[in-house]
Amino acid sequence: MLGQIVQKSASVSRVRAATLMRGLFSFIHPPTCAGCQVLTLRHHALCPDCWSGFRQIERPYCEILGSPFAYDEGEGAVSPEAIADPPVFDRLRSVALYEGMARQLVHDLKYRDRVDLAPMMASWMLRAAAPEVAGADGVVAVPLHRMRMFRRMFNQSAELARHLARQSGKPFLAEVLVRRRRTEQQVGLTAKQRALNVRGAFEVPKAHADLVFGRRLVLIDDVYTTGATVSAATSVLKRAGAAEVTVLTFARALSGPI
């Protein structure tokens, strides 16, 4: 009995200490909007003005490409685009349209080293694809070539994947997909040029092939535009025996390259 009382007392003390530390952190670093830095009620959030410029992708949408429909076409509806030109991946899910605040958040993470945004963005990605992540065996990120990684010092897709894996309890398979060939940046290229640019760029190392074979994977990238990069990566994963690949991005463009 005495032991139980001591354990309970210690548990209460830990909770109080954690609450005190959170309060102290908020006092020293008050919560601000992730977009414009005005004061907000909590960390990892947007203020009302910034939220109004954030266009979430919600149902109804194409079950394969995740493209939003103007009206509900029924359960399991698939867009004409997905029927005419089926993607190599099994499905695509994204949080928001690549415009306004979503575009700013992606650029802040990618080009302004705002890695502090990754946990928030990953949590939104998890909500956007909760059933798909729940049924997955692992999380994979679109990799950078080692030379670009050296210059940039971090991979924004890997940051999103790492936090999403931690939040979902799924393993982050950081080494199962590598970029073996250095490619040009995709920004400004046409759809055809993008596809040629990433052809043969990825591989699954033989040492990690067992982590891919027969597995249901979630492939993470920051933005989906023409789909060239994630399609090339998915093709390699499928050739290595992946049973299923769900592409999950923070944002997506509905037409044309960035």
Side-chain angles (χ1 to χ4, degrees), residues 175-235:
E175 299 178 339
V176 304
L177 186 66
V178 298
R179 192 180 292 244
R180 66 181 183 183
R181 181 172 63 80
R182 190 177 179 183
T183 58
E184 298 296 325
Q185 289 192 340
Q186 297 282 68
V187 177
L189 300 181
T190 65
K192 184 176 181 180
Q193 289 171 333
R194 286 174 178 236
L196 291 173
N197 188 39
V198 294
R199 180 180 295 175
F202 303 104
E203 72 173 349
V204 173
K206 291 182 179 179
H208 303 294
D210 61 319
L211 297 176
V212 174
F213 187 82
R215 305 296 179 93
R216 294 167 296 177
L217 304 174
V218 175
L219 178 63
I220 302 294
D221 205 1
D222 55 348
V223 181
Y224 179 94
T225 51
T226 64
T229 300
V230 293
S231 293
T234 298
S235 294

Side-chain angles (χ1 to χ4, degrees), residues 103-123:
R103 183 186 181 101
Q104 179 183 320
L105 291 173
V106 168
H107 282 205
D108 283 348
L109 171 64
K110 188 172 184 176
Y111 302 120
R112 301 182 185 100
D113 300 337
R114 288 287 310 277
V115 292
D116 59 293
L117 295 175
M120 178 189 74
M121 295 168 70
S123 69

Side-chain angles (χ1 to χ4, degrees), residues 26-87:
S26 293
F27 179 77
I28 299 173
H29 300 286
T32 59
C33 172
C36 68
Q37 282 72 59
V38 302
L39 290 175
T40 54
L41 293 176
R42 61 187 180 89
H43 293 281
H44 307 304
L46 295 176
C47 69
D49 285 344
C50 288
W51 182 257
S52 67
F54 188 80
R55 292 184 60 192
Q56 282 185 286
I57 297 175
E58 299 178 307
R59 291 188 181 278
Y61 51 67
C62 169
E63 286 298 321
I64 296 177
L65 290 177
S67 308
F69 289 140
Y71 56 89
D72 193 348
E73 299 192 14
E75 185 177 355
V78 177
S79 64
E81 180 184 3
I83 296 173
D85 187 18

Side-chain angles (χ1 to χ4, degrees), residues 116-198:
D116 59 293
L117 295 175
M120 178 189 74
M121 295 168 70
S123 69
W124 294 353
M125 293 169 72
L126 180 55
R127 287 198 296 268
E132 291 78 15
V133 174
D137 299 306
V139 179
V140 181
V142 170
L144 290 178
H145 187 269
R146 62 181 180 275
M147 292 302 295
R148 186 161 294 164
M149 183 71 175
F150 178 77
R151 290 203 312 269
R152 188 177 290 175
M153 301 305 294
F154 75 97
N155 175 3
Q156 73 281 354
S157 298
E159 287 298 305
L160 293 171
R162 181 168 60 86
H163 285 286
L164 185 139
R166 180 180 299 168
Q167 293 168 17
S168 65
K170 299 293 180 178
F172 175 32
L173 308 176
E175 299 178 339
V176 304
L177 186 66
V178 298
R179 192 180 292 244
R180 66 181 183 183
R181 181 172 63 80
R182 190 177 179 183
T183 58
E184 298 296 325
Q185 289 192 340
Q186 297 282 68
V187 177
L189 300 181
T190 65
K192 184 176 181 180
Q193 289 171 333
R194 286 174 178 236
L196 291 173
N197 188 39
V198 294

